[in-house]
Amino acid sequence: MSISAKLKLGVLAAVISATSFSALAKDFLNVSYDPTRELYEDVNKQFSKYWESRTGQKINFKQSHGGSGKQARSVIDGLDADVVTLALAADIDAIAENTNLLPKNWQKKFPQNSTPYTSTIVFLVRKGNPKGIKDWGDLVKPDIGIITPNPKTSGGARWNYLAAWAWAKHQAGGNDIKAQEFVRQIYKNTKVLDSGARGATTTFAERGIGDVLLAWENEAYLAIREQPGQFEIITPSLSILAEPPVAIVEKNAEKKGNKYLAQGYLNFLYSPLGQEISARNFYRPRNAAVLKKYSSTFKPLKLVTIDQEFGGWTKVQKKHFENGGVFDQIVKVNNTK
């Protein structure tokens, strides 16, 4: 854990000891994205023990899950989240820009740009890998059926899209024109565009549609754990460093009397136990010692970042995913062919 995180936890402990807390159970809402259900069930169970031991206060946890973009819109429209734990910074930026619920510099409130764990994009294929998929280039073969969510509603889908784009640009002679054509072919081979990552996993794993699922690494491991012997994970040669951020929805938390609770909840994610919980749920922990402990799970691969490769989420969102952006152009071309 970073020095900054340790200091924040220490300050919080001092505040808790000096603050009077009601014995009544507190309602607490975490608005999150699709694949984090299992992660936060585990976090909530462990954090509630910690919080009650410190304050005597019980917590009535409520969780909301869905496509990250859709979840951000729900908060903008009035869903009274205490914290948001979404798939990408652009979605929390949208809340900050369209409401006064949290400051625009929200990402500076917690260590590592408010991303306590990371992930990446991998391929989930059926047992034996019958189509011989080894890397991104195999996905555009004419007989490959792809499952990926819709980038207009799903944060995970935007990571998928950008990982594919980055791979194409890193090939010999690669550029944005060739990358756009490559991504167009990805979506030409896509069979179903679900609204969120969990829906896409259900389409692939339970409905049996498609040859390959473009998936969060943690979601792919969960599918293997839940249906052993049915799938394999293919780690591509290059993928993207996915950094799902967290933030306190400050106005809501203050109004509900949950300011210190929200601070403690998100700080807990950076604690050694919080990092262990992240790793157990197949998210890559920031804590180097915990990451080393799980090195057999998290395979090394070349990872590009949003900032280095695309100039940051503000630029990416405007160019690729707003109405009339590159993704819409790709869909339009595919629909005319």
Side-chain angles (χ1 to χ4, degrees), residues 121-148 164 167 182 186 189-191 204 209-215 231-238 299:
I121 303 305
V122 298
F123 309 153
L124 189 68
V125 300
R126 305 198 184 278
K127 187 66 176 179
N129 193 10
K131 294 296 181 73
I133 295 168
K134 297 179 180 178
D135 210 343
W136 289 99
D138 297 318
L139 301 185
V140 298
K141 294 176 181 177
D143 64 337
I144 300 296
I146 298 170
I147 302 298
T148 181
W167 179 87
F182 176 74
I186 291 278
N189 278 358
T190 297
K191 301 300 182 184
F204 180 78
I209 299 174
D211 303 301
V212 56
L213 172 70
L214 307 189
F231 310 111
E232 297 177 14
I233 294 174
I234 304 298
T235 302
S237 61
L238 178 148
K299 295 181 180 179

Side-chain angles (χ1 to χ4, degrees), residues 199-238:
T201 302
T202 298
T203 294
F204 180 78
E206 297 183 16
R207 296 173 61 196
I209 299 174
D211 303 301
V212 56
L213 172 70
L214 307 189
W216 291 97
E217 184 175 46
N218 65 288
E219 190 77 347
Y221 274 110
L222 283 174
I224 285 178
R225 186 172 72 185
E226 292 174 6
Q227 298 185 47
Q230 300 299 309
F231 310 111
E232 297 177 14
I233 294 174
I234 304 298
T235 302
S237 61
L238 178 148

Side-chain angles (χ1 to χ4, degrees), residues 230-308:
Q230 300 299 309
F231 310 111
E232 297 177 14
I233 294 174
I234 304 298
T235 302
S237 61
L238 178 148
S239 195
I240 199 157
L241 178 65
E243 298 179 292
V246 302
I248 300 172
V249 187
E250 295 183 9
K251 295 293 185 181
N252 288 347
E254 289 173 2
K255 179 180 67 177
K256 295 159 69 177
N258 288 343
K259 176 182 176 182
Y260 296 120
L261 173 54
Q263 184 77 33
Y265 186 74
L266 296 188
N267 273 335
F268 180 76
L269 299 176
Y270 290 90
S271 71
L273 178 55
Q275 293 286 284
E276 180 82 20
I277 293 169
S278 297
R280 285 203 307 251
N281 286 276
F282 308 113
Y283 286 87
R284 297 186 178 219
R286 292 289 197 178
N287 184 301
V290 178
L291 180 61
K292 184 178 180 180
K293 179 179 175 181
Y294 287 84
S295 59
S296 62
T297 298
F298 301 116
K299 295 181 180 179
L301 74 163
K302 183 176 181 180
L303 294 171
V304 300
T305 70
I306 289 294
D307 288 345
Q308 293 171 346

